[in-house]
Amino acid sequence: MTKLIRIFLTIVVAATAVLGFRWYQYVDNKQSPFDEVGIALNAAMPGPLNQWGCDRLKLTFGNGLPPHGCAAGDGTQWK
């Protein structure tokens, strides 16, 4: 039973690390804010992490339309 728990925890930690790196890679990119996987990950993040990610994206792409999860109001303004 202990081995099964260890395997499960290893999978959870590995998945968290991979998804966390992919999310950070998206919010720190300089190419485009419209990457589908990055948008989904950022939208799924808890409030403070989502806001931090949106702030990072706004610094880089503030002149354009915000991606889903970072839009406020009518979808044309950053939150």
Side-chain angles (χ1 to χ4, degrees):
M1 188 61 141
T2 304
K3 187 174 183 176
L4 184 62
I5 292 172
R6 186 179 310 158
I7 291 171
F8 177 73
L9 289 177
T10 302
I11 291 170
V12 168
V13 168
T16 302
V18 168
L19 292 175
F21 175 76
R22 180 65 179 89
W23 170 75
Y24 182 77
Q25 188 179 28
Y26 166 67
V27 298
D28 197 41
N29 86 78
K30 306 291 184 229
Q31 304 297 322
S32 170
F34 300 109
D35 172 49
E36 294 90 6
V37 175
I39 290 171
L41 288 173
N42 194 46
M45 288 293 161
L49 289 177
N50 175 272
Q51 187 60 48
W52 183 82
C54 290
D55 291 343
R56 295 280 301 201
L57 289 168
K58 186 177 180 181
L59 284 175
T60 308
F61 306 106
N63 295 333
L65 291 173
H68 174 72
C70 293
D74 60 358
T76 60
Q77 297 178 357
W78 291 82
K79 64 175 171 179

